[in-house]
Amino acid sequence: MGIDPIEYTVWKDKKTPFRKRFLVISEKIFRKKLRSKAIWILLVIGYFLVHVFTISSAPFYPPEELTKELILYGEGTLTGEPYLKGGLFFIFTILLVSVVSSDIMSQDIRENSFVLYFSRPLRTVDYISGKIFGGLSIMSLYCAIPPILVGISVIATQTGDNYLGSLQILGLTIVAGIFTSFLYLPYAVLLSSLTERKAYSGIGTFMTFFVLTIVSELFTTFDPNWKLIGPENLLHFSYDVIYGIGLPEDVNLGLYIIAMIALIILPLMALYIRIRRKEVEG
């Protein structure tokens, strides 16, 4: 019985610069996720129910100018809900982040890929950044690009001549879209780093946000600041801050900042410690 020879191809490409290696990880995640049927199903349904009608309705009902009220509260979705502040937009956002993040870290844990990653000159921060940016690139397909297209379609067909004000709102919409794409990722990726099974990660992410939403609604009757426990409320309050509306009078600014830290900063810190330990063990 013969032995098949090992085929070896000489590497002819250039090495990626050290500080840009996280982009290689991001690109790999982006390409992989685009081959996922589950993600395509969510994107297609989400676009159809939330975005398409809003984008296409501007030429038929041209407003005078692009306003924050139109982006946040405009009844442009197929179901007649508000646009960015609608429940349907939020539901598809957390569904998508649950699917996108489900195997971002869990697959590396299951396959013990940390040994391969950190056998190269790759920092923990770069590894985490690559994973986060990879997820962000997919999330932006639903959370950032469509609202920007809505703003562009409105500006292109507006009947008024206040284009400077419309462009300002468009700029804030870009910020809001990127923020939405990122907001839930740190926590979702952290959960993915705690298990080898992507199903546990995805379901755990969705159920956490779902349960927090219910708890927020139950306890808001006792104190309005319980609204900050709900991921949807926190997102909507952030929109108010971005668009210059300000927080509701019954919501404490300090508690809002603490809630943001708990949702973004603390998961990132825990994720860094988790991956750093894996790097040392590897």
Side-chain angles (χ1 to χ4, degrees):
M1 181 181 294
I3 300 177
D4 293 333
I6 298 175
E7 297 183 2
Y8 176 78
T9 304
V10 179
W11 176 259
K12 297 180 180 179
D13 253 332
K14 294 181 180 179
K15 291 184 178 179
T16 306
F18 180 72
R19 295 184 178 179
K20 295 183 179 180
R21 293 185 179 181
F22 75 95
L23 295 176
V24 177
I25 300 176
S26 300
E27 182 183 2
K28 179 181 178 182
I29 292 174
F30 182 76
R31 292 179 180 273
K32 177 184 177 181
K33 295 300 180 181
L34 284 183
R35 295 194 296 267
S36 170
K37 293 181 180 179
I39 288 178
W40 273 109
I41 291 173
L42 286 175
L43 287 176
V44 169
I45 298 176
Y47 264 71
F48 179 72
L49 294 179
V50 180
H51 297 303
V52 171
F53 186 77
T54 310
I55 296 172
S56 60
S57 63
F60 299 99
Y61 308 98
E64 185 176 349
E65 63 182 274
L66 179 64
T67 63
K68 54 192 173 187
E69 289 78 15
L70 191 152
I71 293 293
L72 296 176
Y73 304 104
E75 294 184 1
T77 63
L78 193 64
T79 58
E81 286 190 339
Y83 186 39
L84 288 190
K85 282 203 171 184
L88 203 58
F89 178 82
F90 169 74
I91 289 174
F92 276 96
T93 298
I94 61 173
L95 281 173
L96 187 60
V97 76
S98 300
V99 175
V100 167
S101 64
S102 61
D103 62 347
I104 280 185
M105 292 285 189
S106 60
Q107 183 175 358
D108 290 347
I109 295 176
R110 183 173 62 254
E111 298 176 353
N112 201 23
S113 301
F114 292 99
V115 177
L116 177 61
Y117 275 113
F118 295 110
S119 64
R120 303 291 187 270
L122 181 71
R123 299 176 301 178
T124 304
V125 172
D126 294 329
Y127 173 78
I128 295 175
S129 299
K131 297 292 186 177
I132 295 289
F133 274 96
L136 180 67
S137 62
I138 294 294
M139 292 297 299
S140 65
L141 296 178
Y142 174 80
C143 300
I145 294 179
I148 294 172
L149 293 178
V150 170
I152 293 175
S153 65
V154 170
I155 293 175
T157 58
Q158 72 177 48
T159 57
D161 56 0
N162 185 17
Y163 287 97
L164 184 60
S166 296
L167 289 174
Q168 182 180 5
I169 298 300
L170 179 62
L172 294 177
T173 301
I174 294 173
V175 174
I178 296 174
F179 176 82
T180 307
S181 303
F182 172 77
L183 179 61
Y184 304 121
L185 273 174
Y187 178 78
V189 175
L190 173 62
L191 284 190
S192 181
S193 72
L194 299 177
T195 177
E196 296 182 0
R197 298 191 177 184
K198 66 177 184 179
Y200 292 169
S201 172
I203 295 173
T205 298
F206 181 81
M207 290 305 299
T208 299
F209 293 143
F210 180 75
V211 170
L212 287 176
T213 299
I214 295 177
V215 171
S216 172
E217 293 178 356
L218 290 175
F219 286 92
T220 297
T221 56
F222 302 103
D223 188 340
N225 286 302
W226 278 99
K227 295 177 183 178
L228 295 170
I229 298 295
E232 183 179 10
N233 293 329
L234 198 58
L235 176 63
H236 293 172
F237 293 155
S238 299
Y239 287 155
D240 292 338
V241 172
I242 291 172
Y243 283 96
I245 300 173
L247 294 174
E249 294 182 358
D250 57 356
V251 173
N252 184 276
L253 175 60
L255 293 178
Y256 166 77
I257 295 174
I258 292 175
M260 294 298 294
I261 292 174
L263 186 59
I264 298 176
I265 305 300
L266 293 183
L268 286 176
M269 293 174 60
L271 184 61
Y272 179 86
I273 295 172
R274 168 72 170 162
I275 301 306
R276 187 64 178 173
R277 288 180 177 176
K278 281 289 183 180
E279 178 184 357
V280 173
E281 292 174 2

